[in-house]
Amino acid sequence: MCGIVGYIGKRDAAPLLLEGLQRLEYRGYDSAGVAISGKSGGLKTVKAKGRVRDLDSRLPKRFAGTTGIAHTRWATHGAPNDVNAHPHLDADGQVAVVHNGIIDNASEVRAKLEADGVEFASETDSEVLAHLIGRSQADKLEEKVRDALRHIEGTYGIAVLHAAFPDRIVVARNGSPVVLGIGEKEMFVASDVAALVSHTRQVVTLGDGEMATIKADDYRTYTTREGSRTAASPETVEVEAASYDMGAHDTYMHKEISEQADAVDRVLRGRIDDRFSTVHLGGLNLDPREARKIRQVKILGCGTSYHAGQIGAGLIEELARIPADSEPASEFRYRNPVVDPDTLYIAVSQSGETYDVLAAVQELKRKGARVLGVVNVVGSAIARETDGGVYVHAGPEVCVVSTKCFTNTVVAFALLALHLGRIRDLSVADGKRIIAGLRKLPEQITEILAREDEIAKLAQQYTDARSMLFIGRVRGYPVAREASLKLKEVSYIHAEAYPASELKHGPLALIEPAMPTVAIVPDDDLLEKNRAALEEIKARSGRILAVAHQEQEKADHTIVVPKNEDELDPILMGIPLQLLAYHTALALGRDIDKPRNLAKSVTVE
Ligand code: F6R
């Protein structure tokens, strides 16, 4: 949440900063701002409520300067307006700061500064940083920043410009990501590589408690606390710049839904071992003897990743016969959980940055637990903090709403479950059966995506709904939960998911023609039970859209999806409902890639 970018080099900074902000806009789109070290000395700042395009239209024609920082905001402290937009300046206008994170003790620090006569321009927590840096008596900019950070509690990724030090940008990280991009006599800074890859693939990822000074032809990293030098060897980013482009699609959501066959192919590639009917997961760091000792699996994630974890838990129970469940990481970390040495903990995250997940991992590690990651972004904080794990290989996901990463995460869990199962009691025959099912997935996904026109037409019929119910049983229930989240976040239609088995215990009271139900009805041993639920809804004049392996007589519409193995069916059944959410939102004229009030990579609590 919130994106920061910086540039220092020979080129005009403003266009590069704006381009970087556009790439990071999924991290927040409440306001944007830029500060440039002008050629004639001093700092120039422009800020605008709204999108990067609003900032762009406000920039004066002459906004020259080869060093600058910029920010795109997701509001936490203070309304989304021009004044609360970053960069924030100190009282003399000498220091400009952009910040991603939350300063927990901001009110306390602000009160002290105000008592000293400092006047604040904004309501943000971040402005305290600019004043603290501006008031530091240290000689060097690096020392001023370190001085300021000593007063701060909370999370931050910051970039600082100072009019008296025009040859450098100082950055620091604690809990919110900062990467440096190394170019030819130019350097970039950003919250993530999306903003850099069109200029350089050589990056250095700062660790927590680390700072850096970047100059046009040089950079230096050191610890925030002591200022001691740290080793920072650049890595080459493997992702192609083009994979961040929208291509021929109108939205990233559509692009990412459409990419799922290839994405699933990628997560499977090189991992299947036909000889032993299992899979190789290179980075797992879990030897078979340890794997046999696991008595329980606890999966932690937020939002869509939590739902993927629920399907993952089901797969682990079914294939490896280890008791498993999934819980929102945000709840887990606050309930003083009992950490059991024989439990395997798994943190799930697309971004690898989600603060609640990271904090849960850190708490577990502190208590001595073994924690694996199922993560999409390579080298992200959660990937680095965990003891090993499985990369999801979905490729960059730009739309705030997660789609292809959900699917790939569930496939990654299927691989993990198969791996654990084959170390334990899963038979060779079952291993072969699951592998054959996994291999079928890309083709079956293509088959589902080919029905987009039909789903788009169906979506038109649900745009009038004020609320929708999503139901499923056992394997189908997390699919229903994820589909209801997709619909509500992108179309703003209220949606609620319930186990179909629970209908009679309350939600049936809601059924009427104005409250359509989406039902997940796989051809498995619960088919007749699911059909009974459809009967009950129909008997009360409810409208039903079924996602099933065959036409459902009681449903008004059925989206028929190809059948796979029972255990793998949930992977496919969510995909048409991603398209349903997309087309419903499209018909309602929603801002699909940037739903209101949301942002991707939730680096705040
Ligand atoms: C919903 C969505 C969110 C994320 C959640 C966790 O479409 O994208 O619910 O799934 O914020 O994010 P990650 O997976 O990055 O930890």
Side-chain angles (χ1 to χ4, degrees), residues 3-5 17 21 31-37 43-48 55 59 63 68-73 81-90 95-99 121-122 124 126-127 129-130 159-161:
I4 61 172
V5 283
L17 293 170
L21 285 187
S31 65
V34 56
I36 300 275
S37 257
L43 302 181
K44 298 183 288 188
T45 309
V46 180
K47 313 201 257 187
L55 174 68
L59 282 190
F63 198 62
I69 56 176
H71 187 267
T72 176
R73 176 169 187 245
N81 59 28
D82 288 2
V83 175
N84 288 331
H86 298 217
H88 291 291
L89 302 179
D90 72 328
V95 178
V97 179
V98 288
H99 168 225
S122 75
T124 65
S126 314
E127 192 183 340
L129 281 165
V160 182
L161 266 190

mmCIF file of all heavy atoms in Angstrom, residues 3-5 17 21 31-37 43-48 55 59 63 68-73 81-90 95-99 121-122 124 126-127 129-130 159-161:
data_model
loop_
_atom_site.group_PDB
_atom_site.id
_atom_site.type_symbol
_atom_site.label_atom_id
_atom_site.label_comp_id
_atom_site.label_asym_id
_atom_site.label_seq_id
_atom_site.Cartn_x
_atom_site.Cartn_y
_atom_site.Cartn_z
ATOM 1 N N GLY A 3 2.910 3.635 -2.945
ATOM 2 C CA GLY A 3 4.075 3.320 -3.753
ATOM 3 C C GLY A 3 5.032 4.489 -3.692
ATOM 4 O O GLY A 3 4.611 5.640 -3.750
ATOM 5 N N ILE A 4 6.329 4.185 -3.537
ATOM 6 C CA ILE A 4 7.314 5.268 -3.606
ATOM 7 C C ILE A 4 8.263 4.998 -4.779
ATOM 8 O O ILE A 4 8.566 3.843 -5.090
ATOM 9 C CB ILE A 4 8.113 5.436 -2.286
ATOM 10 C CG1 ILE A 4 8.921 4.177 -1.931
ATOM 11 C CG2 ILE A 4 7.195 5.784 -1.136
ATOM 12 C CD1 ILE A 4 9.862 4.384 -0.743
ATOM 13 N N VAL A 5 8.681 6.082 -5.421
ATOM 14 C CA VAL A 5 9.703 5.961 -6.465
ATOM 15 C C VAL A 5 10.699 7.096 -6.328
ATOM 16 O O VAL A 5 10.381 8.154 -5.765
ATOM 17 C CB VAL A 5 9.136 5.995 -7.920
ATOM 18 C CG1 VAL A 5 8.513 4.686 -8.306
ATOM 19 C CG2 VAL A 5 8.170 7.104 -8.149
ATOM 20 N N LEU A 17 9.586 9.490 -13.064
ATOM 21 C CA LEU A 17 8.885 9.276 -11.792
ATOM 22 C C LEU A 17 7.409 8.995 -12.038
ATOM 23 O O LEU A 17 6.816 8.116 -11.404
ATOM 24 C CB LEU A 17 9.051 10.507 -10.882
ATOM 25 C CG LEU A 17 10.485 10.745 -10.403
ATOM 26 C CD1 LEU A 17 10.601 12.104 -9.711
ATOM 27 C CD2 LEU A 17 10.933 9.631 -9.449
ATOM 28 N N LEU A 21 5.313 5.777 -11.024
ATOM 29 C CA LEU A 21 4.086 5.839 -10.209
ATOM 30 C C LEU A 21 2.951 5.075 -10.882
ATOM 31 O O LEU A 21 2.177 4.388 -10.217
ATOM 32 C CB LEU A 21 3.634 7.286 -10.011
ATOM 33 C CG LEU A 21 4.416 8.146 -9.025
ATOM 34 C CD1 LEU A 21 3.708 9.486 -8.838
ATOM 35 C CD2 LEU A 21 4.582 7.456 -7.674
ATOM 36 N N SER A 31 -4.129 9.671 -3.927
ATOM 37 C CA SER A 31 -3.472 10.921 -4.332
ATOM 38 C C SER A 31 -2.069 10.574 -4.810
ATOM 39 O O SER A 31 -1.589 9.464 -4.576
ATOM 40 C CB SER A 31 -3.392 11.902 -3.155
ATOM 41 O OG SER A 31 -2.547 11.374 -2.150
ATOM 42 N N ALA A 32 -1.444 11.548 -5.457
ATOM 43 C CA ALA A 32 -0.077 11.318 -5.937
ATOM 44 C C ALA A 32 0.688 12.638 -5.837
ATOM 45 O O ALA A 32 0.084 13.715 -5.807
ATOM 46 C CB ALA A 32 -0.095 10.813 -7.376
ATOM 47 N N GLY A 33 2.013 12.533 -5.772
ATOM 48 C CA GLY A 33 2.802 13.757 -5.671
ATOM 49 C C GLY A 33 4.241 13.507 -6.052
ATOM 50 O O GLY A 33 4.704 12.356 -6.061
ATOM 51 N N VAL A 34 4.936 14.587 -6.373
ATOM 52 C CA VAL A 34 6.324 14.471 -6.809
ATOM 53 C C VAL A 34 7.126 15.662 -6.291
ATOM 54 O O VAL A 34 6.590 16.772 -6.185
ATOM 55 C CB VAL A 34 6.380 14.353 -8.364
ATOM 56 C CG1 VAL A 34 5.704 15.506 -9.062
ATOM 57 C CG2 VAL A 34 7.785 14.211 -8.882
ATOM 58 N N ALA A 35 8.387 15.431 -5.928
ATOM 59 C CA ALA A 35 9.297 16.521 -5.548
ATOM 60 C C ALA A 35 10.569 16.359 -6.362
ATOM 61 O O ALA A 35 11.077 15.243 -6.526
ATOM 62 C CB ALA A 35 9.623 16.462 -4.063
ATOM 63 N N ILE A 36 11.052 17.493 -6.890
ATOM 64 C CA ILE A 36 12.241 17.467 -7.747
ATOM 65 C C ILE A 36 13.260 18.436 -7.157
ATOM 66 O O ILE A 36 12.891 19.513 -6.678
ATOM 67 C CB ILE A 36 11.879 17.976 -9.172
ATOM 68 C CG1 ILE A 36 10.807 17.101 -9.802
ATOM 69 C CG2 ILE A 36 13.084 18.130 -10.072
ATOM 70 C CD1 ILE A 36 11.297 15.874 -10.504
ATOM 71 N N SER A 37 14.522 18.028 -7.214
ATOM 72 C CA SER A 37 15.602 18.963 -6.888
ATOM 73 C C SER A 37 15.810 19.815 -8.130
ATOM 74 O O SER A 37 16.289 19.309 -9.146
ATOM 75 C CB SER A 37 16.888 18.177 -6.676
ATOM 76 O OG SER A 37 17.205 18.045 -5.384
ATOM 77 N N LEU A 43 13.749 22.794 -3.712
ATOM 78 C CA LEU A 43 12.878 21.685 -4.083
ATOM 79 C C LEU A 43 11.582 22.217 -4.676
ATOM 80 O O LEU A 43 11.050 23.224 -4.215
ATOM 81 C CB LEU A 43 12.531 20.851 -2.845
ATOM 82 C CG LEU A 43 13.692 20.242 -2.069
ATOM 83 C CD1 LEU A 43 13.163 19.422 -0.889
ATOM 84 C CD2 LEU A 43 14.561 19.358 -2.961
ATOM 85 N N LYS A 44 11.091 21.531 -5.699
ATOM 86 C CA LYS A 44 9.790 21.893 -6.280
ATOM 87 C C LYS A 44 8.857 20.707 -6.066
ATOM 88 O O LYS A 44 9.255 19.562 -6.310
ATOM 89 C CB LYS A 44 9.934 22.144 -7.782
ATOM 90 C CG LYS A 44 10.862 23.311 -8.105
ATOM 91 C CD LYS A 44 10.921 23.580 -9.581
ATOM 92 C CE LYS A 44 11.682 22.499 -10.317
ATOM 93 N NZ LYS A 44 11.945 22.790 -11.733
ATOM 94 N N THR A 45 7.647 21.002 -5.618
ATOM 95 C CA THR A 45 6.713 19.910 -5.305
ATOM 96 C C THR A 45 5.371 20.142 -5.979
ATOM 97 O O THR A 45 4.876 21.268 -6.000
ATOM 98 C CB THR A 45 6.472 19.847 -3.778
ATOM 99 O OG1 THR A 45 7.732 19.830 -3.139
ATOM 100 C CG2 THR A 45 5.712 18.624 -3.373
ATOM 101 N N VAL A 46 4.796 19.100 -6.514
ATOM 102 C CA VAL A 46 3.425 19.183 -7.039
ATOM 103 C C VAL A 46 2.661 17.968 -6.507
ATOM 104 O O VAL A 46 3.198 16.854 -6.499
ATOM 105 C CB VAL A 46 3.387 19.164 -8.591
ATOM 106 C CG1 VAL A 46 1.956 19.243 -9.097
ATOM 107 C CG2 VAL A 46 4.187 20.325 -9.154
ATOM 108 N N LYS A 47 1.426 18.195 -6.038
ATOM 109 C CA LYS A 47 0.639 17.087 -5.486
ATOM 110 C C LYS A 47 -0.790 17.191 -6.015
ATOM 111 O O LYS A 47 -1.250 18.285 -6.337
ATOM 112 C CB LYS A 47 0.596 17.181 -3.958
ATOM 113 C CG LYS A 47 1.949 17.438 -3.310
ATOM 114 C CD LYS A 47 1.946 17.018 -1.885
ATOM 115 C CE LYS A 47 1.846 18.142 -0.902
ATOM 116 N NZ LYS A 47 2.014 17.658 0.485
ATOM 117 N N ALA A 48 -1.458 16.080 -6.070
ATOM 118 C CA ALA A 48 -2.844 16.116 -6.543
ATOM 119 C C ALA A 48 -3.637 14.984 -5.932
ATOM 120 O O ALA A 48 -3.161 13.843 -5.857
ATOM 121 C CB ALA A 48 -2.884 15.992 -8.067
ATOM 122 N N LEU A 55 -2.173 14.052 -11.319
ATOM 123 C CA LEU A 55 -0.901 14.705 -11.004
ATOM 124 C C LEU A 55 -0.239 15.170 -12.292
ATOM 125 O O LEU A 55 0.236 16.314 -12.391
ATOM 126 C CB LEU A 55 0.014 13.712 -10.268
ATOM 127 C CG LEU A 55 1.439 14.180 -9.997
ATOM 128 C CD1 LEU A 55 1.459 15.317 -8.987
ATOM 129 C CD2 LEU A 55 2.308 13.027 -9.466
ATOM 130 N N LEU A 59 1.262 19.059 -13.550
ATOM 131 C CA LEU A 59 2.692 19.398 -13.596
ATOM 132 C C LEU A 59 2.925 20.562 -14.544
ATOM 133 O O LEU A 59 2.426 20.559 -15.667
ATOM 134 C CB LEU A 59 3.510 18.209 -14.098
ATOM 135 C CG LEU A 59 3.798 17.068 -13.136
ATOM 136 C CD1 LEU A 59 4.823 16.123 -13.756
ATOM 137 C CD2 LEU A 59 4.301 17.557 -11.795
ATOM 138 N N PHE A 63 9.321 21.578 -15.507
ATOM 139 C CA PHE A 63 9.468 20.975 -14.184
ATOM 140 C C PHE A 63 10.772 20.171 -14.213
ATOM 141 O O PHE A 63 10.823 18.987 -13.980
ATOM 142 C CB PHE A 63 8.256 20.098 -13.883
ATOM 143 C CG PHE A 63 8.093 19.777 -12.419
ATOM 144 C CD1 PHE A 63 7.870 20.789 -11.483
ATOM 145 C CD2 PHE A 63 8.160 18.465 -11.950
ATOM 146 C CE1 PHE A 63 7.711 20.496 -10.129
ATOM 147 C CE2 PHE A 63 8.000 18.170 -10.594
ATOM 148 C CZ PHE A 63 7.780 19.182 -9.702
ATOM 149 N N GLY A 68 14.681 13.244 -8.153
ATOM 150 C CA GLY A 68 13.346 13.452 -7.585
ATOM 151 C C GLY A 68 12.800 12.209 -6.911
ATOM 152 O O GLY A 68 13.327 11.100 -7.056
ATOM 153 N N ILE A 69 11.746 12.443 -6.134
ATOM 154 C CA ILE A 69 11.035 11.336 -5.479
ATOM 155 C C ILE A 69 9.540 11.534 -5.715
ATOM 156 O O ILE A 69 9.099 12.662 -5.962
ATOM 157 C CB ILE A 69 11.332 11.274 -3.960
ATOM 158 C CG1 ILE A 69 10.991 12.614 -3.273
ATOM 159 C CG2 ILE A 69 12.767 10.882 -3.693
ATOM 160 C CD1 ILE A 69 11.170 12.613 -1.758
ATOM 161 N N ALA A 70 8.775 10.466 -5.634
ATOM 162 C CA ALA A 70 7.338 10.587 -5.888
ATOM 163 C C ALA A 70 6.594 9.498 -5.127
ATOM 164 O O ALA A 70 7.204 8.537 -4.627
ATOM 165 C CB ALA A 70 7.073 10.476 -7.385
ATOM 166 N N HIS A 71 5.292 9.661 -5.068
ATOM 167 C CA HIS A 71 4.479 8.801 -4.183
ATOM 168 C C HIS A 71 3.073 8.649 -4.729
ATOM 169 O O HIS A 71 2.508 9.590 -5.283
ATOM 170 C CB HIS A 71 4.409 9.511 -2.820
ATOM 171 C CG HIS A 71 3.765 8.719 -1.724
ATOM 172 N ND1 HIS A 71 2.431 8.797 -1.422
ATOM 173 C CD2 HIS A 71 4.301 7.865 -0.814
ATOM 174 C CE1 HIS A 71 2.159 8.018 -0.378
ATOM 175 N NE2 HIS A 71 3.277 7.438 0.013
ATOM 176 N N THR A 72 2.500 7.470 -4.578
ATOM 177 C CA THR A 72 1.080 7.294 -4.841
ATOM 178 C C THR A 72 0.481 6.717 -3.564
ATOM 179 O O THR A 72 1.031 5.791 -2.974
ATOM 180 C CB THR A 72 0.829 6.444 -6.112
ATOM 181 O OG1 THR A 72 -0.561 6.246 -6.237
ATOM 182 C CG2 THR A 72 1.509 5.093 -6.101
ATOM 183 N N ARG A 73 -0.636 7.304 -3.110
ATOM 184 C CA ARG A 73 -1.055 7.095 -1.717
ATOM 185 C C ARG A 73 -2.317 6.241 -1.582
ATOM 186 O O ARG A 73 -3.255 6.384 -2.362
ATOM 187 C CB ARG A 73 -1.313 8.474 -1.098
ATOM 188 C CG ARG A 73 -1.851 8.449 0.325
ATOM 189 C CD ARG A 73 -1.827 9.837 0.969
ATOM 190 N NE ARG A 73 -2.188 9.753 2.356
ATOM 191 C CZ ARG A 73 -3.284 10.293 2.903
ATOM 192 N NH1 ARG A 73 -4.107 11.000 2.156
ATOM 193 N NH2 ARG A 73 -3.540 10.149 4.187
ATOM 194 N N ASN A 81 -6.648 14.010 0.021
ATOM 195 C CA ASN A 81 -6.735 15.344 -0.593
ATOM 196 C C ASN A 81 -5.326 15.826 -0.961
ATOM 197 O O ASN A 81 -4.340 15.137 -0.685
ATOM 198 C CB ASN A 81 -7.460 16.335 0.327
ATOM 199 C CG ASN A 81 -6.766 16.477 1.684
ATOM 200 O OD1 ASN A 81 -5.562 16.286 1.784
ATOM 201 N ND2 ASN A 81 -7.534 16.787 2.716
ATOM 202 N N ASP A 82 -5.259 17.018 -1.551
ATOM 203 C CA ASP A 82 -3.959 17.536 -2.012
ATOM 204 C C ASP A 82 -2.969 17.684 -0.853
ATOM 205 O O ASP A 82 -1.790 17.359 -0.970
ATOM 206 C CB ASP A 82 -4.140 18.927 -2.630
ATOM 207 C CG ASP A 82 -4.836 18.861 -3.976
ATOM 208 O OD1 ASP A 82 -5.206 17.748 -4.398
ATOM 209 O OD2 ASP A 82 -5.019 19.931 -4.588
ATOM 210 N N VAL A 83 -3.475 18.223 0.261
ATOM 211 C CA VAL A 83 -2.574 18.552 1.368
ATOM 212 C C VAL A 83 -1.983 17.283 1.987
ATOM 213 O O VAL A 83 -0.795 17.237 2.336
ATOM 214 C CB VAL A 83 -3.349 19.366 2.444
ATOM 215 C CG1 VAL A 83 -2.472 19.611 3.660
ATOM 216 C CG2 VAL A 83 -3.824 20.672 1.853
ATOM 217 N N ASN A 84 -2.799 16.258 2.099
ATOM 218 C CA ASN A 84 -2.290 15.027 2.714
ATOM 219 C C ASN A 84 -1.462 14.186 1.740
ATOM 220 O O ASN A 84 -0.873 13.178 2.143
ATOM 221 C CB ASN A 84 -3.453 14.197 3.263
ATOM 222 C CG ASN A 84 -4.056 14.839 4.505
ATOM 223 O OD1 ASN A 84 -3.357 15.534 5.249
ATOM 224 N ND2 ASN A 84 -5.344 14.645 4.718
ATOM 225 N N ALA A 85 -1.443 14.582 0.483
ATOM 226 C CA ALA A 85 -0.628 13.844 -0.500
ATOM 227 C C ALA A 85 0.853 14.030 -0.152
ATOM 228 O O ALA A 85 1.251 15.058 0.386
ATOM 229 C CB ALA A 85 -0.911 14.375 -1.906
ATOM 230 N N HIS A 86 1.651 12.993 -0.463
ATOM 231 C CA HIS A 86 3.102 13.107 -0.284
ATOM 232 C C HIS A 86 3.674 13.712 -1.555
ATOM 233 O O HIS A 86 3.007 13.652 -2.573
ATOM 234 C CB HIS A 86 3.724 11.722 -0.097
ATOM 235 C CG HIS A 86 3.223 10.989 1.122
ATOM 236 N ND1 HIS A 86 4.023 10.205 1.896
ATOM 237 C CD2 HIS A 86 1.985 10.923 1.683
ATOM 238 C CE1 HIS A 86 3.318 9.668 2.881
ATOM 239 N NE2 HIS A 86 2.072 10.086 2.760
ATOM 240 N N PRO A 87 4.880 14.208 -1.605
ATOM 241 C CA PRO A 87 5.871 14.315 -0.543
ATOM 242 C C PRO A 87 5.481 15.358 0.510
ATOM 243 O O PRO A 87 4.786 16.321 0.197
ATOM 244 C CB PRO A 87 7.137 14.772 -1.279
ATOM 245 C CG PRO A 87 6.900 14.486 -2.713
ATOM 246 C CD PRO A 87 5.438 14.569 -2.918
ATOM 247 N N HIS A 88 5.971 15.104 1.732
ATOM 248 C CA HIS A 88 5.792 16.090 2.805
ATOM 249 C C HIS A 88 7.098 16.832 3.016
ATOM 250 O O HIS A 88 8.181 16.261 2.862
ATOM 251 C CB HIS A 88 5.343 15.388 4.082
ATOM 252 C CG HIS A 88 3.954 14.854 3.938
ATOM 253 N ND1 HIS A 88 2.851 15.666 3.858
ATOM 254 C CD2 HIS A 88 3.515 13.588 3.783
ATOM 255 C CE1 HIS A 88 1.767 14.931 3.693
ATOM 256 N NE2 HIS A 88 2.146 13.659 3.623
ATOM 257 N N LEU A 89 6.944 18.118 3.327
ATOM 258 C CA LEU A 89 8.116 18.984 3.467
ATOM 259 C C LEU A 89 8.302 19.383 4.927
ATOM 260 O O LEU A 89 7.337 19.405 5.697
ATOM 261 C CB LEU A 89 7.930 20.256 2.643
ATOM 262 C CG LEU A 89 7.686 20.067 1.141
ATOM 263 C CD1 LEU A 89 7.507 21.426 0.460
ATOM 264 C CD2 LEU A 89 8.840 19.311 0.489
ATOM 265 N N ASP A 90 9.551 19.736 5.292
ATOM 266 C CA ASP A 90 9.772 20.301 6.628
ATOM 267 C C ASP A 90 9.393 21.786 6.590
ATOM 268 O O ASP A 90 9.014 22.321 5.526
ATOM 269 C CB ASP A 90 11.225 20.095 7.065
ATOM 270 C CG ASP A 90 12.180 20.986 6.304
ATOM 271 O OD1 ASP A 90 11.900 21.287 5.108
ATOM 272 O OD2 ASP A 90 13.187 21.409 6.870
ATOM 273 N N VAL A 95 13.479 19.806 3.076
ATOM 274 C CA VAL A 95 13.447 18.337 3.097
ATOM 275 C C VAL A 95 12.127 17.860 2.493
ATOM 276 O O VAL A 95 11.076 18.406 2.816
ATOM 277 C CB VAL A 95 13.505 17.827 4.568
ATOM 278 C CG1 VAL A 95 13.416 16.298 4.611
ATOM 279 C CG2 VAL A 95 14.757 18.322 5.265
ATOM 280 N N ALA A 96 12.195 16.863 1.619
ATOM 281 C CA ALA A 96 10.962 16.241 1.096
ATOM 282 C C ALA A 96 11.035 14.749 1.389
ATOM 283 O O ALA A 96 12.085 14.122 1.179
ATOM 284 C CB ALA A 96 10.840 16.472 -0.404
ATOM 285 N N VAL A 97 9.922 14.202 1.878
ATOM 286 C CA VAL A 97 9.890 12.784 2.248
ATOM 287 C C VAL A 97 8.683 12.106 1.618
ATOM 288 O O VAL A 97 7.576 12.650 1.654
ATOM 289 C CB VAL A 97 9.763 12.627 3.786
ATOM 290 C CG1 VAL A 97 9.697 11.146 4.177
ATOM 291 C CG2 VAL A 97 10.914 13.297 4.502
ATOM 292 N N VAL A 98 8.891 10.927 1.070
ATOM 293 C CA VAL A 98 7.763 10.059 0.700
ATOM 294 C C VAL A 98 7.839 8.831 1.583
ATOM 295 O O VAL A 98 8.928 8.327 1.873
ATOM 296 C CB VAL A 98 7.767 9.665 -0.804
ATOM 297 C CG1 VAL A 98 7.403 10.849 -1.677
ATOM 298 C CG2 VAL A 98 9.094 9.052 -1.238
ATOM 299 N N HIS A 99 6.683 8.351 2.012
ATOM 300 C CA HIS A 99 6.642 7.292 3.032
ATOM 301 C C HIS A 99 5.558 6.277 2.707
ATOM 302 O O HIS A 99 4.446 6.645 2.366
ATOM 303 C CB HIS A 99 6.358 7.977 4.395
ATOM 304 C CG HIS A 99 6.007 7.033 5.504
ATOM 305 N ND1 HIS A 99 4.964 7.252 6.365
ATOM 306 C CD2 HIS A 99 6.568 5.863 5.905
ATOM 307 C CE1 HIS A 99 4.893 6.266 7.249
ATOM 308 N NE2 HIS A 99 5.852 5.415 6.992
ATOM 309 N N ALA A 121 1.371 20.935 8.145
ATOM 310 C CA ALA A 121 0.506 21.283 7.019
ATOM 311 C C ALA A 121 -0.591 20.239 6.832
ATOM 312 O O ALA A 121 -1.691 20.548 6.402
ATOM 313 C CB ALA A 121 1.351 21.374 5.758
ATOM 314 N N SER A 122 -0.276 18.960 7.160
ATOM 315 C CA SER A 122 -1.221 17.884 6.826
ATOM 316 C C SER A 122 -1.678 17.151 8.077
ATOM 317 O O SER A 122 -1.180 17.408 9.175
ATOM 318 C CB SER A 122 -0.539 16.877 5.904
ATOM 319 O OG SER A 122 0.355 16.076 6.655
ATOM 320 N N THR A 124 -1.327 13.864 8.152
ATOM 321 C CA THR A 124 -0.710 12.529 8.012
ATOM 322 C C THR A 124 0.264 12.220 9.135
ATOM 323 O O THR A 124 0.802 13.122 9.782
ATOM 324 C CB THR A 124 0.091 12.429 6.701
ATOM 325 O OG1 THR A 124 1.184 13.350 6.783
ATOM 326 C CG2 THR A 124 -0.760 12.768 5.498
ATOM 327 N N SER A 126 2.998 10.743 8.305
ATOM 328 C CA SER A 126 4.298 10.801 7.622
ATOM 329 C C SER A 126 4.998 12.150 7.773
ATOM 330 O O SER A 126 6.231 12.232 7.746
ATOM 331 C CB SER A 126 4.118 10.527 6.125
ATOM 332 O OG SER A 126 3.294 9.412 5.930
ATOM 333 N N GLU A 127 4.218 13.215 7.940
ATOM 334 C CA GLU A 127 4.835 14.552 7.954
ATOM 335 C C GLU A 127 5.846 14.707 9.099
ATOM 336 O O GLU A 127 6.812 15.474 8.987
ATOM 337 C CB GLU A 127 3.746 15.632 8.035
ATOM 338 C CG GLU A 127 4.307 17.019 7.747
ATOM 339 C CD GLU A 127 3.281 18.142 7.878
ATOM 340 O OE1 GLU A 127 2.067 17.862 7.813
ATOM 341 O OE2 GLU A 127 3.714 19.300 8.070
ATOM 342 N N LEU A 129 8.142 12.877 9.885
ATOM 343 C CA LEU A 129 9.475 12.504 9.398
ATOM 344 C C LEU A 129 10.194 13.697 8.786
ATOM 345 O O LEU A 129 11.368 13.941 9.061
ATOM 346 C CB LEU A 129 9.350 11.398 8.342
ATOM 347 C CG LEU A 129 9.119 9.985 8.857
ATOM 348 C CD1 LEU A 129 8.648 9.082 7.735
ATOM 349 C CD2 LEU A 129 10.411 9.446 9.472
ATOM 350 N N ALA A 130 9.458 14.452 7.958
ATOM 351 C CA ALA A 130 10.078 15.602 7.293
ATOM 352 C C ALA A 130 10.560 16.608 8.346
ATOM 353 O O ALA A 130 11.681 17.134 8.251
ATOM 354 C CB ALA A 130 9.069 16.248 6.346
ATOM 355 N N ALA A 159 11.843 7.594 1.135
ATOM 356 C CA ALA A 159 12.881 8.193 0.294
ATOM 357 C C ALA A 159 12.898 9.671 0.645
ATOM 358 O O ALA A 159 11.860 10.304 0.806
ATOM 359 C CB ALA A 159 12.573 7.973 -1.180
ATOM 360 N N VAL A 160 14.124 10.198 0.801
ATOM 361 C CA VAL A 160 14.290 11.565 1.295
ATOM 362 C C VAL A 160 15.167 12.372 0.346
ATOM 363 O O VAL A 160 16.236 11.915 -0.070
ATOM 364 C CB VAL A 160 14.977 11.539 2.694
ATOM 365 C CG1 VAL A 160 15.111 12.945 3.254
ATOM 366 C CG2 VAL A 160 14.208 10.641 3.659
ATOM 367 N N LEU A 161 14.673 13.566 0.038
ATOM 368 C CA LEU A 161 15.466 14.537 -0.752
ATOM 369 C C LEU A 161 15.773 15.704 0.165
ATOM 370 O O LEU A 161 14.922 16.105 0.960
ATOM 371 C CB LEU A 161 14.603 15.120 -1.860
ATOM 372 C CG LEU A 161 14.559 14.557 -3.249
ATOM 373 C CD1 LEU A 161 13.799 15.527 -4.151
ATOM 374 C CD2 LEU A 161 15.954 14.333 -3.791
#
